[in-house]
Amino acid sequence: MASALRNISWSRRFATHSSVQGFNGAVGNTPLIYLKGLSKKTGSHIYGKAEFQNPGGSVKDRAALGLVRDAEERGLIKPGGTVVEGTAGNTGIGLAHVCRAKGYKCVIYMPNTQSQEKIDLLRMLGADVRPVPAVAFENPQNYNHQAREYAISIENAIWTNQFDNIANAKAHYETTGPEIWEQTKGQVDAFICATGTGGTLAGVGKYLKEMSNGKTQIWLADPPGSVLTSYITSGGRLIERSGSSITEGIGQGRITDNLGTFISELSGAFTVPDSKSIEMVYDLLDSEGLYVGASSALNVVAAVELAQRLPKGSNIVTIICDGAYRYQTRLFSKAWLRSKDLEDAIPPHLKKYAVLN
């Protein structure tokens, strides 16, 4: 079975088999990569959905396109309109690309804690970027609320509302889930990933559960500072958020509407320390040649841990959200890693990759 799936992954390569219509037509149909070293180490078959192969560079291209298409189908935006969103980065980048392709203006509110690479890229894509102080969702000055209020204040504008607009999860139910099912020939024992909006986990999870008649396990992986693991393992008790993580765009202090569509169907959840995510960033680069961000690394760490909980030979799929290019001045900076007490998380033989001072 593993051999057959590896052949599928290789045969798909990094392109579709026919031409597509512009940026929007190129979203999706990403390869499923067999992670050979980690699979051998665990005795199971671990696969990463290569979402960094989307034209905008991340899994959020799917949500961005789905949210805009949903607004168009419902008549909420007309040609020349403005798309507004509150985002920690990748959804904004996806929206900026989609807006350029469709002729809309794009305004992005984001926490001022995000990487400069993301902010610069958004501006290069023509988006009006508005960094604001990072405050809790309950605060009226939270970037999501500011985005909503701005969209309401101008004509022919939409707030895509990625966290609570379930068109996000629908996009993954209609695209990412079916692709994984096809690429594994329906032989997927478990799917696991972290969640920010909840769209990927809920959409993929719902599809795989339906197609497998409930046999596929769906797990949530959490970064430090998120309350979701506690919520799920306690049977639904929502605690106050505390702590933080180096990962961007994942983890939550509440149950979003997207996640709420599926949370009762989850098989379980656990938290992955930042130290393990950093170690995996470097390990994947060295052993697989994959240059990934911290959220992607967290997902792979979680897949490995899940493999150790499930029977040997299980097929486990996760999401490789994006590449490290948007975070390289942090993840590969000795000074930045040292400031986060994470320099020692890198095994000695891999420290050669931390080339930035």
Side-chain angles (χ1 to χ4, degrees):
M1 181 63 198
S3 177
L5 294 183
R6 287 196 295 273
N7 288 338
I8 290 171
S9 300
W10 174 248
S11 67
R12 292 178 67 88
R13 297 184 186 268
F14 294 103
T16 54
H17 296 298
S18 60
S19 64
V20 297
Q21 292 295 316
F23 177 93
N24 298 332
V27 174
N29 290 312
T30 57
L32 189 67
I33 299 177
Y34 182 70
L35 301 176
K36 58 184 185 299
L38 296 173
S39 296
K40 182 178 181 180
K41 188 180 298 184
T42 61
S44 288
H45 312 299
I46 299 176
Y47 300 87
K49 187 78 164 124
E51 290 301 285
F52 58 88
Q53 287 293 322
N54 279 305
S58 86
V59 65
K60 295 297 188 177
D61 289 359
R62 296 183 190 258
L65 183 57
L67 291 165
V68 173
R69 279 181 172 167
D70 178 73
E72 290 173 334
E73 290 168 1
R74 293 194 289 145
L76 300 179
I77 191 169
K78 298 177 178 62
T82 302
V83 173
V84 187
E85 183 54 284
T87 169
N90 279 334
T91 301
I93 291 167
L95 284 170
H97 277 288
V98 170
C99 287
R100 293 273 40 82
K102 288 179 171 285
Y104 298 126
K105 293 183 278 296
C106 183
V107 177
I108 300 297
Y109 285 81
M110 68 190 308
N112 59 8
T113 55
Q114 299 307 295
S115 67
Q116 190 62 43
E117 290 96 333
K118 284 184 179 178
I119 295 172
D120 291 343
L121 178 56
L122 281 164
R123 287 174 172 156
M124 284 186 278
L125 290 170
D128 177 355
V129 186
R130 304 182 181 187
V132 297
V135 295
F137 183 79
E138 294 76 17
N139 189 314
Q141 295 304 306
N142 177 272
Y143 64 102
N144 291 292
H145 304 321
Q146 292 198 49
R148 180 192 65 233
E149 293 303 315
Y150 179 71
I152 292 172
S153 73
I154 62 175
E155 294 292 325
N156 191 18
I158 57 165
W159 171 47
T160 45
N161 188 15
Q162 61 167 325
F163 290 90
D164 296 312
N165 183 345
I166 60 173
N168 179 344
K170 181 183 176 184
H172 290 284
Y173 177 83
E174 293 179 342
T175 66
T176 323
E179 288 172 30
I180 291 171
W181 187 256
E182 176 191 351
Q183 289 168 322
T184 60
K185 291 190 173 181
Q187 301 298 310
V188 51
D189 297 298
F191 174 79
I192 186 167
C193 73
T195 182
T197 66
T200 304
L201 186 67
V204 173
K206 180 181 179 184
Y207 186 86
L208 295 180
K209 278 281 193 181
E210 288 180 359
M211 294 301 292
S212 67
N213 293 317
K215 294 179 181 177
T216 300
Q217 294 189 28
I218 311 297
W219 286 69
L220 184 149
D222 230 9
S226 175
V227 305
L228 299 179
T229 292
S230 174
Y231 179 88
I232 293 163
T233 56
S234 70
R237 186 170 63 90
L238 196 62
I239 63 173
E240 185 176 345
R241 189 170 188 173
S242 63
S244 62
S245 171
I246 62 160
T247 57
E248 297 183 17
I250 57 173
Q252 262 299 344
R254 67 186 181 97
I255 308 304
T256 66
D257 286 358
N258 277 290
L259 184 58
T261 65
F262 188 76
I263 195 166
S264 64
E265 302 296 318
L266 288 171
S267 303
F270 52 85
T271 298
V272 175
D274 281 345
S275 57
K276 288 190 175 182
S277 297
I278 285 293
E279 180 181 1
M280 186 60 76
V281 165
Y282 283 77
D283 183 77
L284 287 172
L285 176 58
D286 187 68
S287 63
E288 302 283 353
L290 293 173
Y291 188 60
V292 307
S295 299
S296 299
L298 182 151
N299 283 347
V300 176
V301 172
V304 169
E305 182 167 332
L306 187 55
Q308 294 165 345
R309 300 183 182 207
L310 299 181
K312 296 290 185 183
S314 296
N315 294 320
I316 300 164
V317 178
T318 192
I319 298 291
I320 303 180
C321 321
D322 62 5
Y325 303 98
R326 293 167 185 168
Y327 321 95
Q328 61 188 16
T329 57
R330 296 183 179 190
L331 297 180
F332 295 90
S333 163
K334 292 187 284 290
W336 185 84
L337 290 165
R338 199 175 300 122
S339 74
K340 301 296 181 181
D341 294 323
L342 289 171
E343 188 177 22
D344 290 338
I346 309 170
H349 71 288
L350 299 181
K351 287 188 176 181
K352 61 187 178 183
Y353 296 113
V355 297
L356 304 178
N357 290 318

